């Protein structure tokens, strides 16, 4: 795990400023606290911040040069099959001077060119400069575990693991992208390939970007296929699923530093811990997060698994004072990001880093094996469409009139609003957090004009229409993998872990495992009302019954209660501040109403209020100019020490 940055002035040939490049690396120091590297030669430059995981020697430092001295690379992530690739390359006569996966990547490129991407099994974002071809190659892993941003300017292209690195360039003006902010309000994250910063974009997952001969070329090198299907017996399918998951866990245990696991108490992370315990002699180190509010607390289930496998178990309880993290969260997440579970994930990563440098997690199981409530709701909605149409409006009116502020009531309202919609629009509604009618009431005409009257639901709806596979569940899973997984969940974990110099690994995101799951018929994933049917069958002998059979709880935080308590005054003061209202985004009377109704428990507007609060703090931190802050737009707490988070 690392932070990478660089630029190529392919338009003008102007020399790269090493001071700017060094500043970009400094703003990524949290991603790589173990060292830094810089290389500049004329119009090209690469910067690297190192988190040492495999081959801790200085020989593995980056930017790393290939056997051909004209080729250099900076890599963020891990190539899990580097030993197998190394053996193949040695058989072809290749020599190696390190034990690192980065050198294997260089050799694989020398042997196969850009096609080497199809041979890599891992999570990665890298930038490779091929001086012989005058080619810059930017590439990102299949599911988007590792981020990679870029921007074009008059000189050429700059790139970095996080967009805040661009703040080191005095020529970069941090301006908001109105259309991206509109999408953010709907989804609570900014969908790829754009970003909240005007002119800044992301290399999409499973894509590479080549800059060569003055031209840019963006290509996709992998897509998850849901056809043809493999028709196995349930016993054979369960056995193969477990074997593939076991292999995915095994190859993620390679590290030259201490290693552990996030244990939520859900089936995915519990299965990972069980297989880690099976693979090793020493007790697995496990880390769990909990809450004082019982509705949100999963610690009892995590303890069942920890006791069964005798893990070295550590727990952390998140209390309302965790909201003091908010400025740090806004800084580290770079863009407006309103998934409030980031608070818990950030704290969990902080706790875990005190003990280990690598942590495995259960991320990705829901997207491959149908674990979300909306997967079941979507199937039921298709079957009951004719029945629900006559009663949908009266029932929606009744739910709207009922008091209630919990997340279950909010989810029920959102589900009901989507019934009767075409499948694509229904899925978009269920994956969003701001009702279109309320969004129109909340935002000003000025803001809507700036977005081009954007219908943000169409982002997911159109992606749904393009999804491969005739089966409704396959289409739903495909869209989760294409959008929600890389743009929300993986952003949350990458930022939270890398903020503390912790590497997160996700066995369920192994592309070979995902390909197997995609090839299975829908009935093995969603059986009746049972989500993740095949996984539950495959791991039943490994886990306590209550962990397998309990309803999915989801990883949430009690932000609804905090916004009535410890956060109430802050939300009121920030959202009704003249500075906020003068941006012209939101209508003051509607903001006041949401604050008042939430405070009195009339309605639960916590998701909406949290997103507004995060957006305003993002503006103040990254967009508003403050001369006293040192480098442009950087918080005063970072003045003279870009490696320290506020």
């Amino acid at each position: 795990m690392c932070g990478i940055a660089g630029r190529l002035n392919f338009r003008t040939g102007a020399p790269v400023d090493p001071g700017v490049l060094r500043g970009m690396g400094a703003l990524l120091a949290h991603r790589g606290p173990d060292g830094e590297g810089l290389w500049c030669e004329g119009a090209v430059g690469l910067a690297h911040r190192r988190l040492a995981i495999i081959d801790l020697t200085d020989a593995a430092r980056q930017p790393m040069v290939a056997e051909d001295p004209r080729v250099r690379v900076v890599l963020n992530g891990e190539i899990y099959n580097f030993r197998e690739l190394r053996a193949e390359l040695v058989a072809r006569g290749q020599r190696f001077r390190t034990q690192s996966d980065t050198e294997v990547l260089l050799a694989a490129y020398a042997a196969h060119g850009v096609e080497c991407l199809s041979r890599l099994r891992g999570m990665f974002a890298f930038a490779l400069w091929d001086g012989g071809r005058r080619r810059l190659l930017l590439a990102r892993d299949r599911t988007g575990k590792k981020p990679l941003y870029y921007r074009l300017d008059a000189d050429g292209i700059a790139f970095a693991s996080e967009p805040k690195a661009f703040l080191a360039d005095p020529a970069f003006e941090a301006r908001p992208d109105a259309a991206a902010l509109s999408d953010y309000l709907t989804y609570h994250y900014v969908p790829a390939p754009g970003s909240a910063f005007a002119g800044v974009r992301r290399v999409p997952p499973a894509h590479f970007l080549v800059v060569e001969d003055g031209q840019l070329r963006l290509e996709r090198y992998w897509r998850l296929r849901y056809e043809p299907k493999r028709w196995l017996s349930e016993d054979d399918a369960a056995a193969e699923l477990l074997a593939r998951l076991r292999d995915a866990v095994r190859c993620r245990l390679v590290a030259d530093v201490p290693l552990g696991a996030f244990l939520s108490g859900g089936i995915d992370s519990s299965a990972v811990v069980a297989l880690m315990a099976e693979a090793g002699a020493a007790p697995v180190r496990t880390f769990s997060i909990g809450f004082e509010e019982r509705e949100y607390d999963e610690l009892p289930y995590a303890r069942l698994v920890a006791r069964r496998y005798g893990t070295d178990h550590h727990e952390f309880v998140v209390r309302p004072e965790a909201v003091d993290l908010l400025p740090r969260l806004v800084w580290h997440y770079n863009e407006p990001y309103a998934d409030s579970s980031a608070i818990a994930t950030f704290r969990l990563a902080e706790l875990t880093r005190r003990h280990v440098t690598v942590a495995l997690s259960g991320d990705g199981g829901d997207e491959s094996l149908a674990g979300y409530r909306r997967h079941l709701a979507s199937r039921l909605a298709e079957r009951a469409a004719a029945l629900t149409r006559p009663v949908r409006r009266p029932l929606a009116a009744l739910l709207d009139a009922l008091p209630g502020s919990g997340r279950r009531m909010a989810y029920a309202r959102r589900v009901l609003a989507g019934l009767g919609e075409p499948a694509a629009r229904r899925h978009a509604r269920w994956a969003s957090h701001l009702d279109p009618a309320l969004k129109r009431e909340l935002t000003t005409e000025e803001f809507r004009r700036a977005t081009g009257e954007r219908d943000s639901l169409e982002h997911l709806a159109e992606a749904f229409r393009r999804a491969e596979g005739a089966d409704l569940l396959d289409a739903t899973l495909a869209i989760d993998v294409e959008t929600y997984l890389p743009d929300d969940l993986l952003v949350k974990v990458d930022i939270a872990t890398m903020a503390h110099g912790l590497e997160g690994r996700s066995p369920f995101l192994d592309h070979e495992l995902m390909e197997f799951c995609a090839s299975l018929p829908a009935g093995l994933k969603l059986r009746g009302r049972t989500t993740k049917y095949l996984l539950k069958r495959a791991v039943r002998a490994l886990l306590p019954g209550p962990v397998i059979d309990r309803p999915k709880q989801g990883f949430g935080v009690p932000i609804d209660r905090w916004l009535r308590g410890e956060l109430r005054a802050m939300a009121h003061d920030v959202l009704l501040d003249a500075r906020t209202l003068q941006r012209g985004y939101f209508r003051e009377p509607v903001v006041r109403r949401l604050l008042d109704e939430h405070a009195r428990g009339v309605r639960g507007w916590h998701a909406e209020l949290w997103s507004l609060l995060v957006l305003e703090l993002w503006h103040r931190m990254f967009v508003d100019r403050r001369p006293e802050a040192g480098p442009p737009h950087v918080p005063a707490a970072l003045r003279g020490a870009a490696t320290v988070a506020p």
Side-chain angles (χ1 to χ4, degrees):
M1 287 295 184
C2 304
I4 66 174
R7 73 171 294 128
L8 171 64
N9 292 332
F10 67 93
R11 287 174 169 159
T12 63
V16 169
D17 184 342
V20 169
L21 208 57
R22 188 173 291 109
M24 293 175 71
L27 287 168
L28 300 173
H30 51 281
R31 300 184 70 93
D34 297 330
E36 61 180 322
L38 182 71
W39 172 80
C40 287
E41 187 176 278
V44 63
L46 302 173
H48 185 259
R49 294 294 311 204
R50 185 185 187 197
L51 176 61
I53 301 293
I54 295 174
D55 191 343
L56 309 185
T57 67
D58 284 346
R61 294 180 63 183
Q62 300 180 43
M64 184 177 286
V65 61
E67 195 169 49
D68 178 348
R70 297 172 298 177
V71 179
R72 296 175 186 266
V73 73
V74 283
L75 168 68
N76 171 26
E78 302 288 352
I79 311 299
Y80 296 125
N81 63 333
F82 79 99
R83 289 176 172 169
E84 294 87 344
L85 292 175
R86 179 188 175 108
E88 293 176 12
L89 292 163
V90 167
R92 295 169 58 126
Q94 179 67 45
R95 294 174 299 176
F96 291 90
R97 62 186 185 278
T98 75
Q99 298 300 314
S100 76
D101 56 345
T102 307
E103 189 179 13
V104 172
L105 171 60
L106 282 168
Y109 174 80
H112 306 292
V114 175
E115 287 71 27
C116 73
L117 289 166
S118 64
R119 299 170 178 264
L120 305 182
R121 183 183 185 185
M123 56 174 182
F124 54 82
F126 68 81
L128 184 146
W129 171 246
D130 184 340
R133 295 180 175 89
R134 305 301 295 173
R135 170 196 288 172
L136 175 67
L137 170 64
L138 305 179
R140 197 167 170 212
D141 66 66
R142 292 170 177 83
T143 57
K145 276 279 292 177
K146 294 290 99 187
L148 188 54
Y149 291 79
Y150 68 96
R151 70 180 186 91
L152 299 171
D153 57 26
D155 287 322
I157 186 172
F159 56 88
S161 296
E162 298 177 16
K164 72 163 66 73
F166 300 135
L167 299 172
D169 186 347
F172 175 66
E173 182 182 0
R175 295 181 294 107
D177 184 305
L181 298 189
S182 179
D183 289 345
Y184 158 77
L185 292 173
T186 293
Y187 297 111
H188 287 185
Y189 61 84
V190 177
S195 83
F197 296 96
V200 174
R201 298 183 67 78
R202 282 174 269 189
V203 176
H207 281 71
F208 64 86
L209 176 66
V210 169
V211 185
E212 191 172 11
D213 298 326
Q215 302 295 317
L216 276 73
R217 176 166 53 96
L218 181 67
E219 288 190 17
R220 185 168 197 144
Y221 66 88
W222 180 83
R223 186 185 297 275
L224 191 59
R225 305 288 182 182
Y226 291 82
E227 296 288 346
K229 293 299 184 188
R230 296 183 59 179
W231 299 96
L232 304 172
S233 69
E234 285 190 17
D235 287 343
D236 288 345
E240 185 166 350
L241 174 61
L242 184 58
R244 288 178 177 272
L245 181 58
R246 182 178 283 117
D247 180 62
V249 169
R250 176 197 56 78
C251 73
R252 283 162 177 78
L253 297 179
V254 177
D256 295 328
V257 292
L259 182 147
F262 295 149
L263 178 58
S264 71
I267 186 172
D268 301 333
S269 66
S270 298
V272 169
V273 168
L275 295 175
M276 290 175 69
E278 177 186 275
V284 178
R285 298 178 183 180
T286 53
F287 304 89
S288 301
I289 206 88
F291 301 91
E292 295 174 327
E293 295 83 356
R294 186 175 179 181
E295 176 187 354
Y296 295 84
D297 190 46
E298 296 184 274
L299 286 179
Y301 297 101
R303 290 169 190 150
L304 289 176
V305 177
R307 282 198 294 268
R308 178 157 181 168
Y309 288 99
T311 72
D312 178 9
H313 189 56
H314 305 263
E315 295 179 353
F316 185 85
V317 175
V318 178
R319 295 183 172 85
E321 62 264 24
V323 298
D324 294 339
L325 281 175
L326 192 48
R328 292 179 64 197
L329 289 175
V330 172
W331 171 250
H332 279 291
Y333 277 89
N334 296 273
E335 302 182 86
Y337 182 81
D339 185 337
S340 58
S341 64
I343 295 173
T345 306
F346 198 87
R347 279 296 197 208
L348 177 61
E350 185 177 44
L351 165 72
T352 302
R353 186 60 178 90
R354 297 172 190 168
H355 304 271
V356 300
T357 312
V358 175
L360 275 65
S361 76
D363 295 325
D366 291 319
E367 290 76 16
S368 284
L369 292 156
Y372 292 126
R373 289 175 296 181
R374 65 173 174 268
H375 297 147
L376 175 59
S378 183
R379 172 171 290 181
L380 295 176
E382 283 291 294
R383 295 174 178 175
L387 296 175
T388 58
R389 195 171 293 115
V391 300
R392 186 173 64 88
R393 289 185 182 276
L395 189 55
L398 176 62
L399 269 181
D400 198 55
L402 287 174
S405 58
R407 57 177 176 169
R408 288 189 176 89
M409 180 64 81
Y411 181 74
R413 290 187 174 109
R414 196 160 73 241
V415 166
L416 195 59
L419 293 176
E421 294 263 24
R425 294 285 295 186
R426 180 177 66 234
H427 177 82
R429 271 183 174 267
W430 289 354
S432 68
H433 294 274
L434 182 59
D435 180 79
L438 176 59
K439 183 178 180 180
R440 186 167 187 83
E441 181 186 5
L442 174 65
T443 54
T444 65
E445 184 178 349
E446 174 189 0
F447 178 75
R448 293 195 299 273
R449 280 200 309 269
T451 69
E453 297 289 343
R454 185 178 185 84
D455 178 3
S456 293
L457 289 181
E458 274 301 298
H459 166 73
L460 278 191
E462 181 57 32
F464 191 96
R465 297 183 192 107
R466 294 194 307 266
E468 296 183 7
D471 185 87
L472 176 64
L473 181 63
D474 282 346
T476 305
L477 294 174
I479 295 311
D480 284 343
V481 169
E482 292 276 334
T483 59
Y484 178 63
L485 178 67
D487 295 347
D488 186 333
L489 296 186
L490 299 186
V491 169
K492 174 175 64 179
V493 176
D494 174 77
I495 293 297
T497 53
M498 295 309 294
H500 300 96
L502 176 71
E503 174 168 300
R505 299 179 177 179
S506 307
F508 279 99
L509 293 178
D510 184 275
H511 79 273
E512 295 180 1
L513 174 62
M514 294 178 72
E515 288 171 344
F516 170 72
C517 293
S519 75
L520 296 174
L524 287 179
K525 304 168 195 174
L526 183 60
R527 175 72 59 87
R529 294 178 179 270
T530 302
T531 56
K532 286 194 283 200
Y533 172 80
L534 188 65
L535 179 62
K536 291 174 180 177
R537 177 164 180 167
V539 301
R540 185 163 290 278
L542 300 178
L543 300 178
V547 171
I548 292 178
D549 297 324
R550 71 187 181 100
K552 183 176 179 60
Q553 186 165 331
F555 191 47
V557 299
I559 203 72
D560 53 338
R561 301 179 192 181
W562 294 353
L563 280 167
R564 289 191 193 90
E566 291 79 359
L567 259 183
R568 179 178 177 178
M570 178 187 182
H572 186 278
D573 291 347
V574 171
L575 296 183
L576 295 178
D577 181 59
R579 186 175 172 187
T580 305
L581 297 173
Q582 286 169 4
R583 298 195 193 282
Y585 290 177
F586 308 115
R587 298 177 60 234
E588 180 181 0
V590 181
V591 176
R592 284 189 181 277
R593 175 169 64 83
L594 299 184
L595 286 165
D596 177 67
E597 290 182 355
H598 187 82
R600 293 189 292 115
V602 175
R603 283 288 295 268
W605 299 117
H606 50 281
E608 293 82 358
L609 293 172
W610 182 254
S611 70
L612 300 186
L613 184 58
V614 169
L615 176 59
E616 176 56 24
L617 294 181
W618 173 81
H619 255 283
R620 296 184 183 190
M621 186 166 286
F622 288 104
V623 179
D624 294 352
R625 290 189 177 273
R626 298 192 303 280
E628 75 280 4
H633 323 309
V634 178
L638 297 181
R639 183 167 52 247
T643 61
V644 182

